[in-house]
Each structure stands twice: as structure tokens, then as C-alpha cells.
Amino acid sequence: MPLLKRRNFRLDQGIQKLIEERLSTTVQSVNRVSGGDINEAFRIETVNGRFFVKINASVNSIDILKSEQYGLDVLRRTSKVRVPRIVDFLVHDKTGILILEWITRGHSTRDAYQDLGRQLAALHTCRDNQFGSVPDNFIGALPQKNTSYDDFETFYAECRILPQVKMAVDRDVFSKKTLNGFKTFLYKIPLLIPKENPVLIHGDLWGGNHMVNDSGHPYIIDPSISYNHREMDLAMMGLFGGYPEVTYLTYNERLPLIPGWRERADIFQLYYLLVHLNLFGSGYYNSVMRILNKYL
């Protein structure tokens, strides 16, 4: 699991008591660990073992962690990828608390990255008849629509790009003229993106959302699932780095990609950059506009 950030942290006593009651155990120690940008996370030591506890106190606290729980459960039930085992989900004073098994972090190796490529290829064989096809969820702290559509271009426009663009317009990040530019870009999607069947994707597979345990086995964490174009996952993997070439080569051996997937990755990355723009600010503006202008 994530690295320790500070030792002997004092967990809210109401939350700790609730955990002890639900797990029928006694908490012996609590350590804060890295938990992403929107959550607090802890390693708790109990008389019954270690657990990973993620807490979210935002406005959508309960829904965000419930969404993560649902995504992990869906991925686990495919038997295609390794994900942490869900222990429990609790609510304390409008705060969501997700408890997972503790996974001791190991070292990333070539074998582990190859295994990850095989797992991802296997996951992408899980098909549906429509894009979306799961309950609405979250990407980070932002809501993500998963309305079902027959074609990718409509799904990508209505459930991915336009909600993020409109959010940015409402915050005066984009002008109405720029909004029209995005609509022009979206009209071109059928000519730019090859047809693929909707498959189950992780949905937020940047480098920080995978880990290797102390036995050398890769796990994926923090999903934002949907049935989608599989190149969404590949594009996100390449956006901020974190995956060596062997992962892509192994994936491609198991489930060959349509030629040109690297060149068109920025079309899918546009969504994730818009999310980062809305979450973290103007530092992502130029990256968004560079992709948009490339295709206008």
C-alpha cells in the first residue's frame, strides 16, 4: 500500500471506535499514509492484523468512496486483475470510510510489469453491448456520467468531454467560442478513432494507481470504471508516465492494438487533462488547448 507519511497519527476517536466495533478488534496503532489528492489514508494495526483505511470528508464523501468500492468489486469479480480485497464500508457523521486489506509494497520488476500488461489485456476482453453501462461514478472528486450509448463518439461527447468543458466554461476558464471549438472537435471523432467494442476499463490508470506487493504481484487501485474504448486506459497510462515499454508490448501481444494507437492517444488524454484542469487549475490549460487546436 502507499508509503507512510507520519507515524503515530491520532485517528478520530469516533471513527476508530466504529472500526473496532465493526471489525470486532482493537486498534493498536495508526499511521498516516499517502492517499491521493482527495482522501486521507491510514494503516491501522489491530490485534487481527493490518488494514488500509481511506477516509473522505468532502461534500460527496460517501458517494465517492461507495463508487470506488463498487469499482473494486466489479474488477475483482472479473477474476482478470488483482485488486485489494474490500473489508468494509462505514459511515461516521457524513464521512465515508473504506477499509481494504493492507498490501505490503514490494519492488517493481520487469516480470511485474509484464504481468500487469497481461492482466490489463485480460480485463479488456470483458465486453458489454453499450458504452458506459455502469452507475455514474467519479473521476477524482468530479462526477463522471456513465449513461449507456451505442457508439463511442456520442458517449465520449456527452459523458466525458462536454461535462468537463461546460464545468470550465462556468468557471470562466473557457469562452463560449472555445466551447464551440470542442463541439467541432467532437464531430470529427468518428473519423479519428477506430471502431472498438465497449470493454471494461479501469478508467484512471495513471502510474500511481498501480502497485506491486512484496511477492512481486501487480495490483491496480482507485478505479473509475466504465465500459469504454480500451485505448482510454492505454492513453492515461502514457499521460504522466509510470509504465515501461514492456507493459505495452505484453499487452499488445495478448490483445493487439489497432495501428496508430500511440499517435491518437492525445484524443483520449484530452479528457483526463480537462479533469485535471477542473480539479487543479490553469496549469493544464495549455496542454488542453494544444490538443484541441491540433484537431481543429
Side-chain angles (χ1 to χ4, degrees):
M1 277 295 183
L3 300 176
L4 297 178
K5 295 175 70 176
R6 190 172 71 202
R7 302 187 67 82
N8 299 322
F9 181 84
R10 185 177 178 83
L11 190 65
D12 177 276
Q13 290 303 294
I15 292 177
Q16 179 170 319
K17 181 179 179 181
L18 180 60
I19 291 172
E20 290 177 330
E21 290 175 351
R22 287 292 291 267
L23 302 188
S24 300
T25 191
T26 300
V27 173
Q28 297 176 315
S29 67
V30 178
N31 293 283
R32 185 188 290 273
V33 299
S34 59
D37 298 296
I38 63 171
N39 300 298
E40 290 188 285
F42 308 91
R43 185 188 77 184
I44 63 170
E45 303 268 0
T46 77
V47 295
N48 295 330
R50 295 175 177 175
F51 299 95
F52 178 70
V53 177
K54 181 179 286 190
I55 297 173
N56 188 302
S58 68
V59 174
N60 295 315
S61 159
I62 297 170
D63 291 338
I64 288 173
L65 289 184
K66 273 286 188 184
S67 168
E68 180 178 343
Q69 179 191 26
Y70 176 81
L72 287 171
D73 188 54
V74 170
L75 293 176
R76 179 190 60 80
R77 287 189 280 110
T78 69
S79 301
K80 305 293 187 183
V81 292
R82 294 187 188 89
V83 296
R85 178 177 59 86
I86 299 166
V87 176
D88 209 340
F89 182 87
L90 312 175
V91 176
H92 175 75
D93 194 23
K94 299 182 180 180
T95 296
I97 306 159
L98 180 60
I99 305 175
L100 305 174
E101 68 170 311
W102 175 264
I103 299 172
T104 301
R105 187 179 291 273
H107 298 290
S108 297
T109 64
R110 179 181 176 85
D111 286 347
Y113 281 118
Q114 286 180 309
D115 191 4
L116 181 63
R118 287 189 290 268
Q119 287 188 48
L120 188 61
L123 178 65
H124 289 172
T125 64
C126 299
R127 296 183 178 182
D128 195 86
N129 294 324
Q130 293 184 305
F131 292 88
S133 293
V134 298
D136 292 348
N137 51 22
F138 291 83
I139 179 82
L142 300 181
Q144 181 173 259
K145 294 171 61 179
N146 290 308
T147 307
S148 296
Y149 286 96
D150 292 331
D151 60 276
F152 173 72
E153 52 265 31
T154 306
F155 172 78
Y156 195 51
E158 297 298 329
C159 294
R160 292 297 181 264
I161 297 296
L162 289 179
Q164 295 297 325
V165 172
K166 289 174 181 176
M167 190 182 303
V169 169
D170 290 343
R171 295 171 49 235
D172 294 323
V173 176
F174 293 144
S175 66
K176 294 292 180 63
K177 180 179 178 181
T178 304
L179 172 58
N180 290 332
F182 277 102
K183 290 179 179 178
T184 299
F185 159 77
L186 290 169
Y187 288 137
K188 298 180 179 181
I189 291 294
L191 303 176
L192 300 171
I193 300 298
K195 297 290 185 182
E196 291 254 11
N197 292 312
V199 300
L200 184 61
I201 69 167
H202 176 281
D204 191 14
L205 200 53
W206 69 287
N209 278 347
H210 91 283
M211 61 174 293
V212 177
N213 72 1
D214 56 355
S215 296
H217 299 305
Y219 284 72
I220 56 176
I221 59 177
D222 296 348
S224 183
I225 66 166
S226 62
Y227 284 90
N228 212 320
H229 199 295
R230 62 186 174 128
E231 290 182 23
M232 289 289 291
D233 270 348
L234 278 295
M236 184 51 164
M237 289 168 67
L239 184 56
F240 302 118
Y243 298 91
E245 183 65 13
V246 69
T247 307
Y248 304 102
L249 291 174
T250 305
Y251 177 98
N252 202 34
E253 289 170 359
R254 291 298 181 99
L255 196 65
L257 289 153
I258 296 173
W261 65 274
R262 291 185 192 272
E263 290 71 25
R264 59 181 172 264
D266 56 0
I267 298 172
F268 302 99
Q269 290 170 348
L270 182 60
Y271 170 62
Y272 295 111
L273 288 168
L274 283 167
V275 169
H276 279 72
L277 176 66
N278 283 321
L279 279 174
F280 305 120
S282 61
Y284 294 92
Y285 179 85
N286 289 338
S287 296
V288 167
M289 295 307 297
R290 185 162 51 248
I291 296 173
L292 177 63
N293 290 329
K294 173 182 173 181
Y295 291 98
L296 291 182

